[in-house]
Amino acid sequence: MNFIEELKWRGMIADMMPGTEEQLQKELTSAYVGIDPTADSLHIGHLVGVMMLRHFQRAGHRPIALIGGATGMIGDPSMKSAERNLLDEETLRHNQECIKRQLAKFLDFDSDAPNAAKLVNNYDWMKDYSFLNFIRDIGKHITVNYMMAKDSVKKRLSRDSSVGMSFTEFSYQLLQGYDFLYLYEHEGCRLQMGGSDQWGNITTGTELIRRKTGGEAFALTCPLITKADGGKFGKTESGNVWLDRRYTSPYKFYQFWLNVSDADAAKYIKIFTALDQEEIEALIAEQEAAPHLRPLQKRLAKEVTVMVHSEADYEAAVEASNILFGNATHEALLKLDEDTLLAVFEGVPHFEVSREELTAGIKAVDLCTEKAAIFASKGEMRKLVQSGGVSVNKEKLAAADAVIDSSALLDGKYLLVQRGKKNYYLLIAK
């Protein structure tokens, strides 16, 4: 597999230094992508760089994931307007271990193949490097004029002219440049990859390598991912879409990909999956012929959910989706854990009901009119029950006077009432 050709048809190349493709064709090459360890989980914004490393390894080359333990303490001026908090070493190591477990789903770290992936942390080579030694050994090779000419610096200074830029942030590109030099010297790394906003920082590294060692190194960036409507990719109302189920459940993760627009689905399926060109083109043709069936979104959601979580989590997410939008059964409802149940029914009306009254038992018609305002009157409810239009926990209610008690509670806490085909209500026993 030709790595550059692969990235080109996937729309994953923004800039590339001359000679990069020739270097990759010449020999097995090591390349790295930097990852900020400020949380103990990656979010989907990180997936572009991770997929670049995945394709790189598939093409027979050696990927290096660099955890930015040192640079993450400072903050990259091209990305943020505020400076970062300093992480202590214990937090840093915890975050690193969690991130490595996630990366292991995409990259082969453990085989004895010559292109097995490697994880490194720049804190390991920066923590004992004195400031005096750093500015003497590294600082003298890169001029202030060169650093000031970078877009990331110019944009930050023009945007925040009243605040300016601290020396800490200004030094960021020098530290990132040193990472590249260190990996060049210790790991034989010849290529750094990242988002297009990193071009300035990456080329500082290639320049530092040239000036300090006379060697040649390369740079490749991918476009920053955007949404067709101009919104920010990977953000929802509740914040980032995380890879860790503690922060974003597999159901919500699946739903994020399922709900992207047609235009975004056609772009994202190339970037975030390993499906080949032929298969993706067939899916795009299928989508154009029958957009209402949304084959692109369904396949995208499946591929990414299975890759990040598991086949079982994907199947559970599909089943959970069917509860709200399809003809799911009572048994399917019973399988849901509490987090997924609440995620599925997040947008439906909620009512609190007395656990004490439920323990004693209460007629359905009283529960759905007096205790929870699901029906305006008992007569209205009785009429709909007679025509088979009311369900409790996905089971048709046979009689309006049927007694419901606490044994019917899902997870010992919830009752799901359905009025007609599309109206759901979640009753919470308190």
Side-chain angles (χ1 to χ4, degrees), residues 253-326:
F253 186 85
Y254 167 78
Q255 284 291 323
F256 170 82
W257 299 101
L258 193 64
N259 291 317
V260 300
S261 70
D262 289 2
D264 287 335
K267 181 166 76 169
Y268 295 168
I269 201 161
K270 293 175 183 173
I271 296 168
F272 298 108
T273 78
L275 296 177
D276 62 35
Q277 190 168 6
E278 199 179 329
E279 197 165 359
I280 288 176
E281 282 171 359
L283 282 164
I284 290 171
E286 212 179 305
Q287 181 96 352
E288 285 168 358
H292 61 289
L293 296 177
R294 309 177 82 240
L296 268 179
Q297 284 93 336
K298 287 176 182 173
R299 189 61 187 278
L300 170 67
K302 176 181 180 176
E303 292 291 322
V304 187
T305 305
V306 169
M307 188 163 56
V308 169
H309 293 289
S310 69
E311 188 85 36
D313 285 320
Y314 159 71
E315 285 165 4
V318 172
E319 207 164 340
S321 303
N322 287 339
I323 288 168
L324 200 52
F325 308 113

Side-chain angles (χ1 to χ4, degrees), residues 19-37:
T20 304
E21 192 165 7
E22 290 77 3
Q23 166 62 32
L24 297 180
Q25 286 169 345
K26 186 171 69 178
E27 61 191 354
L28 186 154
T29 302
S30 296
Y32 86 94
V33 167
I35 295 168
D36 183 356

Side-chain angles (χ1 to χ4, degrees), residues 9-243:
W9 78 258
R10 290 183 184 276
M12 291 175 74
I13 294 184
D15 291 295
M16 181 170 65
M17 197 171 272
T20 304
E21 192 165 7
E22 290 77 3
Q23 166 62 32
L24 297 180
Q25 286 169 345
K26 186 171 69 178
E27 61 191 354
L28 186 154
T29 302
S30 296
Y32 86 94
V33 167
I35 295 168
D36 183 356
T38 46
D40 62 357
S41 172
L42 301 173
H43 53 73
I44 60 173
H46 291 110
L47 273 184
V48 187
V50 174
M51 289 306 291
M52 288 173 86
L53 289 177
R54 183 182 171 100
H55 294 309
F56 195 68
Q57 191 169 40
R58 285 174 60 226
H61 296 293
R62 178 175 173 250
I64 299 172
L66 179 141
I67 301 291
T71 40
M73 291 175 171
I74 295 168
D76 179 356
S78 61
M79 294 292 285
K80 296 282 185 292
S81 55
E83 295 197 20
R84 308 276 177 89
N85 294 324
L86 201 85
L87 293 174
D88 60 64
E89 189 167 357
E90 190 184 349
T91 305
L92 199 58
R93 295 300 177 198
H94 166 74
N95 292 357
Q96 177 180 329
E97 282 311 304
C98 294
I99 289 169
K100 183 171 184 181
R101 281 197 296 275
Q102 290 179 335
L103 289 174
K105 293 185 174 182
F106 299 85
L107 304 172
D108 168 21
F109 286 98
D110 300 323
S111 79
D112 52 6
N115 70 328
K118 182 162 186 176
L119 185 84
V120 295
N121 188 330
N122 62 12
Y123 184 71
D124 293 330
W125 56 81
M126 286 307 304
K127 63 181 176 182
D128 297 323
Y129 204 161
S130 78
F131 178 69
L132 284 175
N133 285 338
F134 184 81
I135 56 171
R136 189 191 63 188
D137 299 344
I138 305 303
K140 68 178 182 184
H141 292 286
I142 302 291
T143 66
V144 169
N145 303 37
Y146 179 87
M147 292 169 76
M148 290 287 287
K150 297 291 184 182
D151 279 347
S152 58
V153 174
K154 286 197 288 193
K155 279 179 188 167
R156 177 63 191 273
L157 288 173
S158 63
R159 188 172 68 230
D160 293 337
S161 54
S162 58
V163 179
M165 178 193 265
S166 69
F167 174 76
T168 308
E169 286 189 307
F170 183 60
S171 67
Y172 184 93
Q173 63 170 293
L174 207 53
L175 288 170
Q176 188 171 324
Y178 178 64
D179 286 343
F180 201 172
L181 173 66
Y182 183 92
L183 291 176
Y184 176 87
E185 291 180 331
H186 293 83
E187 295 290 344
C189 183
R190 302 289 300 273
L191 173 63
Q192 186 184 165
M193 304 187 291
S196 58
D197 60 314
Q198 291 296 310
W199 181 254
N201 292 332
I202 295 173
T203 51
T204 296
T206 62
E207 185 65 9
L208 181 61
I209 289 166
R210 186 184 69 78
R211 292 186 184 186
K212 195 162 188 327
T213 71
E216 190 176 26
F218 303 94
L220 188 155
T221 62
C222 64
L224 293 182
I225 307 303
T226 54
K227 283 162 67 177
D229 64 6
K232 190 167 182 183
F233 167 74
K235 290 279 187 184
T236 65
E237 285 174 19
S238 53
N240 284 325
V241 179
W242 298 93
L243 272 55

Side-chain angles (χ1 to χ4, degrees), residues 403-415:
V403 173
I404 295 174
D405 61 30
S406 54
S407 67
L409 291 171
L410 303 165
D411 285 313
K413 196 173 178 182
Y414 306 99
L415 277 173

